[in-house]
Structures are given as C-alpha cells and as structure tokens.
C-alpha cells in the first residue's frame, strides 16, 4: 500500500524529460555518457532512461552512487521507469546497465535492513519483491550489460534478465554471497539461481556465498557472454537484435511459461515471505552481523 502511494507520488514528480549536464533544461538536448546527444532521455534522480523508440528499446542506467545499493527510493524509481517503458508500445526491450564506474549494483541497501523498525523492514521487503517480480516477468526483453561487480541483490537483478553480458574484468565478480554476511538468500533468490545455473552449482554457490569472476561466471552459466570491458554496451545491443527478431507474442508467452511457476511461488506466499523477512532481519544476532559487515566495509578503506 505504502509502496503504491509512494510510486504514484514519485511518478508525478520524477518522471519528467531528463536532460544531463550542468544547467540543462528539461526538454532540451543534453550530452549523454558515452558521447552523443540525448533528446528524449527521461528518468529520475537515480535512474536515467535513454530511449531509442525507433529501434524499440531503451537503456536504463542505474546511478545511485557510490555503489548502486538498492535503497527503497532507488527501487521505487526503477519500478516507475520500468512501468513507463512497459506501458509504451514503442518499446520491446531494455538494457540495464550502471552509471557508477566499476559497480553494477552492490545489492540490497544494508542501511535499509539495519537499525530500522519492523514497519520499515516490511515496506522495504515488499519493494524488493516487487522489483524482482516486475523484472522477472516483464514482457519486455531485458538484457543486463553488467559493467561492474554485482553481489547478492545486484546478482538477483542480473539473473532476472533474459540475457547477461559481463565485462571481462577480474574485479567484476557476480553471485549470491548472502551467507558471507550471515544472512540467508530467500527461496525466490535461490529459485532464480537454480533456474539459471542448475541445482548443484546453485547449492554450492549459495552455501559458500561464491562470487564468480567473469570466466567462472561464464563457465557455470551465471552469465551468457563475457566481452572486453569497452564492448559491453555494443555486445548487449547486438544480442538484442536476435531477441527482437522473434515474434513478440510467441517469445513473451514462452517467457511466461518458463518463469510463471517460479514467480507464482512468491505471489502465493508474499505476505508470509514479508513476515519471515521482518522476523529474521529483526533478530539481534542478524542485526549484529549486518553492523559488523558494514563496519568491515568501512575499515577496508582505512
Ligand atoms: C529471509 C531473508 C532474509 C534476508 C535476505 C536479505 C538479502 C540480502 C541480499 C543483499 O543484497 S545484501 C547486500 C550484499 N552486498 C554486499 O555484500 C556488497 C557489499 N559491498 C561491497 O562489497 C563493496 O562495497 C563493493 C565491492 C560493492 C564496492 O567496493 P568499493 O568500490 O571499494 O566501495 P566501498 O566498499 O568503499 O563502499 C562505498 C560505500 O558504500 C557503502 N556500501 C557498500 N555496499 C553497500 C550496500 N550493499 N548497502 C549499503 N551501503 C553499502 C559502503 O559502506 C561505503 O560507505 P561509506 O559510508 O563508508 O562511504
């Protein structure tokens, strides 16, 4: 409920033509990352959408610095941008990528799960569920151009796509590393991974909290393609052509056929899953583990 209200308010206030660059005025052309001008960009503070309606797709750039952690606001803005693209018949596909150098997404925002009250935890988890459901079941072709590290929730976002292109940089590890934080990936994270890499690889990866460097990620099927770093965006665009060449209705129905049973499991147990999350995350031991993990991240710098 709170999410729906929040989304309506944000939709009105944030989804405006978005033009980058100092002093830029909405509706005017501005420079975009990677060169060129963006006449029809739109978005919100944390999500930049570069549409190419003639080609039938848009690039969705995550820019919630420093690490694209999936805060409540950021999740909400991503959902709104996705909804806008889904409701426009000109778009058949999106490419999700990052505007934060070296980071695709650091996953769920640990600050949303630490030191807050149960109402907040419930609202946050509902938004996380919503993001996964919407991306996983989107009728659009969703390609991830993974140009940075993507642990946990960042990996889940990539796994929710139809195809993953990863930049060949040993630092850009990907995986569900929840156990390393002392927390447990919920069943729908697990199911999404199993559907991608199979049961045995998922079982080992989840228990050990493995983060796979590019070559390994490709070998186990976590990603579909590894390319030199400067070719991630072009490779994603190239592969899109193959997906867009398939009759849309046939591809969409097939996607639903493949994914709906997994999504239905969460849809049937959504409230119970929220309660479970709130109970789990509120435990003293879990709060302590998360605080320690955040502290370690800070100490790494000094
Ligand atoms: C029943 C179910 C129950 C529970 C399920 C819950 C599921 C959770 C899934 C998740 O997604 S949990 C999050 C997992 N994410 C991680 O483990 C990633 C942690 N971050 C990193 O490893 C690194 O930050 C990085 C490799 C992504 C980037 O490294 P670097 O470029 O060196 O940046 P810093 O480490 O210095 O980080 C900068 C800044 O950002 C903060 N930060 C990093 N990650 C997060 C995060 N996930 N949430 C919130 N904040 C994060 C970090 O603390 C630094 O903050 P400062 O204030 O010190 O600048």
């Amino acid at each position: 409920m709170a999410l729906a209200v929040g989304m309506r308010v944000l939709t009105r206030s944030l989804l405006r033509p978005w033009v980058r660059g100092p002093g830029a005025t909405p509706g005017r052309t501005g420079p975009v990352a990677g060169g060129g001008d963006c006449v029809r960009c739109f978005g919100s503070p944390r999500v930049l959408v570069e549409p190419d309606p003639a080609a039938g797709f848009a690039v969705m750039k995550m820019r919630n610095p420093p690490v694209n952690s999936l805060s409540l606001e950021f999740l909400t803005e991503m959902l709104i941008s996705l909804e806008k693209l889904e409701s426009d018949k000109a778009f058949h596909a999106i490419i999700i990528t990052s505007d934060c150098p070296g980071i695709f997404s650091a996953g769920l925002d640990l600050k949303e799960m630490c030191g807050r009250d149960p109402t907040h935890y419930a609202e946050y988890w509902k938004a996380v569920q919503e993001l996964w459901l919407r991306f996983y079941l989107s009728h659009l072709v969703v390609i991830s151009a993974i140009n940075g590290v993507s642990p946990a929730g960042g990996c889940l976002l990539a796994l929710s796509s139809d195809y993953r292109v990863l930049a060949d940089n040993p630092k850009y590890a990907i995986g569900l590393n929840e156990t390393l934080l002392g927390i447990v990936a919920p069943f729908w994270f697990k199911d999404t991974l199993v559907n991608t890499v199979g049961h045995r690889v998922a079982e080992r990866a989840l228990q050990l909290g493995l983060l796979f460097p590019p070559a390994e990620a490709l070998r186990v099927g976590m990603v579909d393609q590894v390319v030199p770093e400067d070719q991630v965006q072009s490779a994603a665009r190239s592969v899109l052509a193959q997906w867009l060449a398939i009759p849309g209705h046939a591809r969409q129905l097939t996607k639903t056929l493949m994914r709906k049973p997994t999504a239905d499991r969460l849809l049937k147990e959504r409230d119970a899953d929220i309660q479970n999350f709130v109970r789990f995350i509120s435990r003293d031991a879990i709060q302590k583990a998360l605080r320690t993990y955040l502290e370690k991240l800070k100490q790494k710098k000094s």
Side-chain angles (χ1 to χ4, degrees), residues 66-67 69 103 106-111 113 125 149 151-154 177-178 181 183-186 189 276-277 280-281 293-294 297-298 300-301:
V67 293
S69 58
I103 316 277
L108 302 195
D109 194 315
L110 295 164
K111 291 175 196 120
M113 302 190 286
W125 199 245
V149 62
N177 63 329
E178 279 79 355
L181 286 73
I183 56 179
V184 180
F189 284 44
N276 186 43
F277 172 76
F280 180 82
I281 216 73
Y293 189 75
L294 270 166
L297 285 177
K298 278 195 197 307
K300 192 184 67 176
K301 283 182 182 163

Side-chain angles (χ1 to χ4, degrees), residues 144-291:
S144 284
I146 309 167
N147 50 351
V149 62
S150 45
C155 172
L156 181 75
L157 180 63
L159 292 174
S160 308
S161 319
D162 297 296
Y163 192 90
R164 285 160 288 284
V165 182
L166 174 60
D168 194 4
N169 181 324
K171 289 186 186 151
Y172 296 174
I174 179 167
L176 296 179
N177 63 329
E178 279 79 355
T179 53
L180 299 185
L181 286 73
I183 56 179
V184 180
F187 70 87
W188 39 284
F189 284 44
K190 180 267 292 174
D191 289 344
T192 312
L193 184 64
V194 169
N195 292 350
T196 310
V197 299
H199 198 278
R200 175 59 195 144
V201 170
E203 183 179 12
R204 182 169 162 269
L206 282 168
Q207 288 198 46
L208 297 178
L210 295 181
L211 287 166
F212 295 90
E216 278 289 287
L218 184 63
R219 190 181 63 75
V220 299
M222 182 91 81
V223 299
D224 300 294
Q225 212 179 330
V226 171
V227 300
E229 192 152 3
D230 60 349
Q231 290 169 29
V232 178
Q233 309 301 333
S234 58
R237 281 163 203 249
S238 298
V239 83
L240 203 51
Q242 181 192 5
W243 288 76
L244 291 179
I246 308 299
H249 67 283
R251 187 200 56 75
Q252 282 164 27
L253 284 171
T254 304
K255 179 170 178 174
T256 304
L257 193 67
M258 295 298 294
R259 295 189 169 199
K260 195 164 174 298
T262 303
D264 277 350
R265 242 194 108 188
L266 176 61
L267 286 168
K268 263 195 243 140
E269 305 174 27
R270 214 169 159 178
D271 287 340
D273 184 62
I274 292 173
Q275 294 317 315
N276 186 43
F277 172 76
V278 173
R279 255 195 320 274
F280 180 82
I281 216 73
S282 304
R283 277 158 53 177
D284 287 346
I286 301 302
Q287 285 293 307
K288 190 168 171 226
L290 291 179
R291 277 197 306 273

